[in-house]
């Protein structure tokens, strides 16, 4: 975790920035920072001028001027819950590679389902510029079998990710419990940290308690959710603190 994510602070609370332009993102930061998140995620797939590199860099500069929190840069693919963007996959890779050179960024996220050559290239570029790489898997339709989810997490480790992530949609309470147990099992089997969550209102409990099963980070909403089921960051912090107190008292 090398200075960005430290075990003693787990779970980190990361708040997404989802503005469609620089002004909205700057306003989001002003509203979010008083809530004291541990990290910010710029969901750049929400940006309307993503194909304008100087504009993207001006947004990064603006974020860096307002916040010294670790910043995760994400362009979520539409097939894994992201917004429609104007960039081809090749253009997207070039943009992420350029962003890796920017000091405002601490981590980048990329889907583990992507082309293996792209993953390997992004791993090379991110390491060269000292950025941590999250390789992620999202399923907005269901909670697949433990075998399928574990396969994605181990694949992330195989590609050299610093962190593996899985976010899935539950249909029953049993799906949520199954994801938490899988998190516990994966945490023992993997040599890298992991982030897991059940999405939607049914899975909200996983965002509060997932850390006790081995998930190092949870997402709390600021101005707008970036995925269903996110809890406002202040409330999320309160709930986690209450849970920790109750567990310590037992």
């Amino acid at each position: 975790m090398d200075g960005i994510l430290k075990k003693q602070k787990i779970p980190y609370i990361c708040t997404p920035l989802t503005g469609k332009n620089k002004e909205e993102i700057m306003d989001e930061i002003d509203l979010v920072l008083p809530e004291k998140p541990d990290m910010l995620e710029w969901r750049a797939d929400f940006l309307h001028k993503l194909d304008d590199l100087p504009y993207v860099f001006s947004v990064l500069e603006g974020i860096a001027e307002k916040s010294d929190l670790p910043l995760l840069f994400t362009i979520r693919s539409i097939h894994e819950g992201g917004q429609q963007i104007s960039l081809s996959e090749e253009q997207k890779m070039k943009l992420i590679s350029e962003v890796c050179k920017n000091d405002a960024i601490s981590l980048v996220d990329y889907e583990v389902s992507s082309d293996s050559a792209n993953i390997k290239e992004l791993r090379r570029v991110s390491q060269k510029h000292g950025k941590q790489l999250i390789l992620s898997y999202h399923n907005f339709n269901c909670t697949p079998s433990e075998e399928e989810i574990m396969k994605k997490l181990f694949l992330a480790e195989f590609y050299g990710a610093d962190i593996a992530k899985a976010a899935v949609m539950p249909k029953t309470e049993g799906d949520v419990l199954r994801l938490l147990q899988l998190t516990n099992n994966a945490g023992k089997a993997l040599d890298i940290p992991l982030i897991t969550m059940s999405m939607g209102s049914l899975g909200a409990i996983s965002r509060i308690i997932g850390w006790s099963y081995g998930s190092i980070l949870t997402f709390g909403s600021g101005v707008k959710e970036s995925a269903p089921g996110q809890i406002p960051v202040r409330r999320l912090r309160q709930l986690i603190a209450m849970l920790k107190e109750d567990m310590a008292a037992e």
Side-chain angles (χ1 to χ4, degrees):
M1 290 181 273
D2 298 330
I4 297 176
L5 304 180
K6 298 179 182 295
K7 287 185 177 180
Q8 61 265 32
K9 291 193 69 176
I10 288 171
Y12 273 68
I13 298 177
C14 182
T15 298
L17 304 173
T18 58
K20 64 179 181 292
N21 56 50
K22 183 176 181 178
E23 292 71 28
E24 288 187 0
I25 293 169
M26 297 303 105
D27 288 344
E28 278 186 285
I29 294 175
D30 289 337
L31 291 170
V32 164
L33 289 183
E35 305 301 314
K36 300 188 182 304
D38 301 300
M39 289 177 55
L40 298 174
E41 178 188 33
W42 181 19
R43 277 289 304 274
D45 50 296
F46 281 87
L47 190 72
H48 283 183
K49 295 175 67 176
L50 193 58
D51 57 351
D52 185 339
L53 183 59
Y55 187 74
V56 170
F57 270 69
S58 76
V59 176
L60 286 175
E61 291 170 5
I63 294 173
E65 288 174 1
K66 286 181 173 288
S67 168
D68 59 359
L69 293 175
L71 180 63
L72 166 63
F73 183 84
T74 302
I75 304 176
R76 179 68 61 233
S77 297
I78 192 167
H79 68 276
E80 294 203 17
Q83 305 297 300
Q84 184 72 53
I85 63 173
S86 60
L87 304 181
S88 67
E89 193 63 22
E90 180 181 359
Q91 291 171 324
K92 174 180 165 180
M93 276 291 298
K94 287 182 178 179
L95 175 57
I96 299 173
S97 297
E98 288 298 317
V99 164
C100 280
K101 301 175 184 178
N102 194 291
D103 291 339
I105 296 295
S106 300
L107 311 92
V108 293
D109 179 301
Y110 195 57
E111 286 87 8
V112 74
S113 62
S114 303
D115 181 81
S116 62
N118 285 343
I119 295 175
K120 291 174 182 176
E121 174 61 12
L122 186 55
R123 172 68 289 185
R124 185 191 69 79
V125 171
S126 60
Q127 282 183 326
K128 178 180 178 181
H129 297 287
K131 314 304 180 186
Q132 290 198 345
L133 174 64
I134 299 175
L135 288 178
S136 59
Y137 164 67
H138 304 78
N139 190 315
F140 280 76
N141 297 315
C142 67
T143 300
S145 67
E146 178 173 350
E147 180 182 10
E148 183 174 345
I149 299 173
M150 289 289 279
K151 187 182 298 184
K152 301 293 187 182
L153 296 174
F154 275 109
L155 187 59
E157 182 176 67
F158 170 78
Y159 281 128
D162 296 292
I163 302 168
K165 177 189 173 188
V168 294
M169 185 66 73
K171 294 185 177 180
T172 66
E173 291 179 356
D175 284 343
V176 181
L177 295 173
R178 190 158 55 86
L179 188 277
L180 291 171
Q181 185 59 55
L182 180 151
T183 303
N184 185 63
N185 295 340
K188 296 174 182 176
L190 291 169
D191 291 327
I192 59 174
L194 73 156
I195 301 166
T196 67
M197 67 209 69
S198 284
M199 295 184 284
S201 58
L202 192 60
I205 186 65
S206 72
R207 299 180 182 275
I208 302 167
I209 200 172
W211 62 270
S212 67
Y213 288 82
S215 180
I216 65 168
L217 183 146
T218 187
F219 290 81
S221 61
V223 176
K224 179 180 176 182
E225 292 182 352
S226 63
Q230 288 177 358
I231 300 167
V233 61
R234 178 177 295 188
R235 182 58 176 158
L236 181 59
R237 186 179 297 284
Q238 292 171 341
L239 291 168
I240 291 171
M242 290 170 59
L243 179 60
K244 284 188 171 186
E245 289 177 6
D246 289 344
M247 293 175 69
E250 292 182 357

